[in-house]
Amino acid sequence: ACTECRVYVDVTADATTPDGQRWATAYAALQPAIDAAFEAAAGCEVWVAGGTYRIFQTSIFDTVSLRSGVAIYGGFAGTETQRADRDPEANETILDGEREDAVTAVVHVLTAFNTVDATLDGLTVTHGFAQGPREEDGLGAGLFALGATLVLDNVRFTDNYATRDGGGLYAYGSTLTIRNSEFVDNIS
């Protein structure tokens, strides 16, 4: 379970045994935090410190899988105790699909398959490259949503490329609420 239903993430975290319970023991990667928040309780929040989070680990099919009932908030310095104290502009939180050596990138930076009541807030999603052997691999480089209900607030999709449709975002059979967000230099 997470403290006050929060799980913390900081790309610079180096705790010997990360558990996401506080900033000092934050996860260094986003997916373990999302999974922990999902297991803890519906409505659990993931607080993400500013920095660049590389989604590509071993394969172009690596992705951040959104989970039902989990809200992800970026823009933290890594010391806050209240969500209102975060500053997404000063602490840009980047989910980057490109491999560190820039040779290739993940097919989808984010995926939401039958995910309901999830929130993304205060994040930049970049460098997804939707391509591959299956038809759906060419869709939604930044975010691929299928049968999802999502709220996107203060999210910036930039420099994503899809060989078919939805460079920044592709949603099918989904209900999305998009507020205060930008789509910049995405190509399909």
Side-chain angles (χ1 to χ4, degrees), residues 3 16 28 45 55 61 66 72 76 80 106 120 126 145 153 157 161 172 175:
T3 304
T16 305
E45 296 181 356
I55 307 310
F61 296 106
L66 303 181
I72 303 165
F76 291 91
E80 295 86 351
V106 296
L120 294 172
T126 190
D153 202 356
F157 292 90
Y161 176 80
Y172 182 81
T175 303

Side-chain angles (χ1 to χ4, degrees), residues 16-104:
T16 305
T17 311
D19 61 12
Q21 299 291 306
R22 55 191 196 281
W23 288 116
T25 59
Y27 290 106
L30 189 53
Q31 192 65 57
I34 292 170
D35 295 342
F38 177 76
E39 293 298 324
C44 195
E45 296 181 356
V46 176
W47 288 13
V48 188
T52 299
Y53 295 81
R54 296 265 178 208
I55 307 310
F56 189 106
Q57 297 299 308
T58 59
S59 164
I60 64 170
F61 296 106
D62 292 338
T63 188
V64 172
S65 299
L66 303 181
R67 305 287 299 265
S68 294
V70 176
I72 303 165
Y73 295 95
F76 291 91
T79 58
E80 295 86 351
T81 57
Q82 301 294 318
R83 186 173 2 121
D85 294 337
R86 71 189 174 122
D87 185 347
E89 287 185 31
N91 303 301
E92 187 177 12
T93 305
I94 302 167
L95 306 183
D96 192 334
E98 196 168 58
R99 197 165 85 175
E100 198 163 356
D101 61 9
V103 170
T104 191

Side-chain angles (χ1 to χ4, degrees), residues 1-2 17 185:
C2 53
T17 311
D185 295 329

Side-chain angles (χ1 to χ4, degrees), residues 63-67 110-115 118 143-150 172 174:
T63 188
V64 172
S65 299
L66 303 181
R67 305 287 299 265
L110 299 162
T111 52
F113 300 131
N114 299 312
T115 305
L143 169 61
F144 182 40
L146 181 63
T149 304
L150 307 172
Y172 182 81
S174 299

